[in-house]
């Protein structure tokens, strides 16, 4: 029995070295004498010692930052843009045997695609149609990584850095646009006010008593200000007879003066 003890220990060591544990979010790609025989897992996997070898692949979503790229847009504006790419492995076997490092390869493809797509877009499109550009980037990168067993789920352009001169030009343009809109709104308000005043004048002119009510309302508004000066609007109808009388007296005096100047002197 003591002679078999080293052999038992050797067998136990071989068994222990042949067991592998694969997590739920992993898969193990098995190579048998250098030939890929598929992916296994999750759970406990037994490997034939000296014959089979396993390489683990993580299936979780990988978030990768695309370094800042200096891009010249279609309208010859130099901008600095960075992005973020979300992708995961959907075919562990292809991600191992068809590409050396799928993370590095996806990063390089994302950088070149970012420069290419933004170089074909204008600055206004880059600033206002960000969702459309993100979808184009995601579609192109996903097509490039599909043979590697990689699925790109989303691409987001994070930041667009403009030159200072372009920022000042855009600020001046935005200010001019706001001034134009303010002038249009002011002119439209004046037009509506003039139209409303015209309608009010037509209504008041049809009924003279309306102007008297408006006078009384004005007095009430003035009295509410607690002012020491009171302005009393006198209705024109009350002073109209006096104006007529003054006109008659002035005409009479004028005629008498003309008659006195035309009479010949008496000898």
């Amino acid at each position: 029995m003591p002679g078999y003890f080293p052999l038992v220990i050797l067998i136990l060591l071989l068994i222990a070295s042949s067991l592998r544990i694969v997590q739920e979010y992993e898969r193990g790609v098995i190579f048998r004498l250098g030939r890929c025989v598929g992916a296994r897992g999750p759970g406990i996997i037994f490997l034939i010692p000296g014959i089979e070898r396993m390489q683990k692949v993580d299936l979780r979503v990988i978030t990768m930052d695309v370094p800042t790229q200096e891009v010249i847009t279609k309208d010859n504006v130099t901008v600095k843009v960075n992005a973020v790419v979300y992708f995961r492995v959907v075919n562990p076997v292809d991600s191992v045997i068809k590409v050396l490092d799928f993370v590095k390869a996806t990063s390089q493809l994302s950088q070149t695609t970012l420069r290419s797509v933004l170089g074909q877009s204008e600055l206004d499109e880059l600033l206002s149609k960000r969702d459309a550009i993100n979808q184009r980037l995601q579609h192109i990168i996903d097509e490039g990584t599909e043979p590697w067993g990689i699925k790109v789920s989303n691409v987001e352009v994070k930041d667009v850095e403009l030159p200072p001169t372009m920022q000042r030009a855009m600020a001046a343009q935005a200010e001019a646009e706001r001034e134009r809109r303010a002038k249009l709104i002011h002119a439209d308000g004046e037009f509506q006010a003039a139209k409303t005043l015209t309608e009010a004048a037509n209504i008041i002119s049809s009924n003279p008593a309306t102007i008297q009510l408006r006078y009384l309302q004005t007095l009430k508004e003035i009295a509410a200000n607690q002012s020491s000066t009171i302005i009393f609007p006198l209705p024109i109808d009350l002073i109209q007879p006096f104006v007529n009388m003054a006109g008659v007296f002035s005409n009479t005096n004028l005629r008498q003066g003309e008659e006195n100047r035309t009479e010949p002197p008496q000898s």
Side-chain angles (χ1 to χ4, degrees):
M1 184 67 181
Y4 293 104
F5 185 76
L7 181 60
V8 173
I9 297 298
L10 180 60
I11 294 175
L12 292 177
L13 292 176
L14 289 176
I15 294 175
S17 63
S18 301
L19 295 179
R20 297 289 187 275
I21 297 177
V22 178
Q23 303 295 332
E24 181 68 30
Y25 53 83
E26 294 178 333
R27 294 295 182 271
V29 180
I30 308 300
F31 292 89
R32 182 179 300 162
L33 297 177
R35 184 181 181 86
C36 181
V37 294
R40 300 178 186 175
I44 299 177
I45 298 176
F46 179 79
L47 301 177
I48 301 175
I51 297 178
E52 292 183 341
R53 179 178 61 88
M54 184 183 70
Q55 182 173 345
K56 292 183 180 180
V57 179
D58 198 323
L59 301 183
R60 291 176 293 184
V61 175
I62 300 175
T63 304
M64 181 183 64
D65 286 329
V66 180
T68 302
Q69 304 293 313
E70 189 170 352
V71 182
I72 299 178
T73 60
K74 189 176 181 179
D75 48 354
N76 297 324
V77 178
T78 303
V79 296
K80 293 182 179 180
V81 184
N82 58 2
V84 59
V85 180
Y86 301 90
F87 65 95
R88 63 185 181 90
V89 176
V90 294
N91 192 330
V93 175
D94 290 342
S95 66
V96 172
I97 67 176
K98 290 188 177 181
V99 62
L100 178 61
D101 186 348
F102 65 86
V103 176
K104 183 178 180 180
T106 304
S107 175
Q108 295 298 321
L109 179 62
S110 302
Q111 295 178 35
T112 55
T113 304
L114 182 64
R115 289 194 297 266
S116 176
V117 171
L118 297 186
Q120 300 173 4
S121 305
E122 296 184 355
L123 180 61
D124 293 339
E125 183 181 359
L126 176 60
L127 297 176
S128 61
K129 299 180 180 179
R130 189 77 61 85
D131 293 337
I133 292 178
N134 292 337
Q135 292 179 1
R136 288 172 57 189
L137 290 171
Q138 186 268 335
H139 179 69
I140 295 174
I141 298 174
D142 186 48
E143 285 185 348
T145 58
E146 184 178 2
W148 306 336
I150 306 299
K151 173 62 179 178
V152 178
S153 58
N154 195 12
V155 179
E156 293 287 342
V157 177
K158 293 196 301 183
D159 187 23
V160 179
E161 183 179 350
L162 299 175
T165 55
M166 181 58 63
Q167 294 180 6
R168 290 193 294 268
M170 294 180 65
Q173 179 183 0
E175 184 178 359
E177 177 65 20
R178 288 193 295 269
E179 291 180 357
R180 182 186 69 85
R181 293 169 59 184
K183 290 180 180 179
L184 290 176
I185 294 173
H186 181 71
D188 184 65
E190 292 291 339
F191 173 76
Q192 294 181 7
K195 184 178 180 181
T196 305
L197 288 175
T198 302
E199 295 176 355
N202 294 332
I203 295 174
I204 292 175
S205 62
S206 63
N207 190 357
T210 307
I211 192 64
Q212 307 297 334
L213 297 177
R214 182 56 183 164
Y215 285 156
L216 296 176
Q217 184 179 2
T218 304
L219 283 177
K220 181 179 178 181
E221 293 175 356
I222 295 174
N225 294 332
Q226 302 296 330
S227 177
S228 59
T229 303
I230 299 178
I231 302 176
F232 182 78
L234 186 63
I236 299 177
D237 295 342
L238 295 179
I239 63 174
Q240 188 64 37
F242 299 100
V243 174
N244 295 335
M245 293 177 59
V248 172
F249 290 152
S250 61
N251 292 334
T252 303
N253 294 333
L254 180 61
R255 287 197 299 270
Q256 290 179 355
E258 291 179 352
E259 290 176 357
N260 293 333
R261 286 196 299 271
T262 54
E263 289 181 356
Q266 298 179 359
S267 58

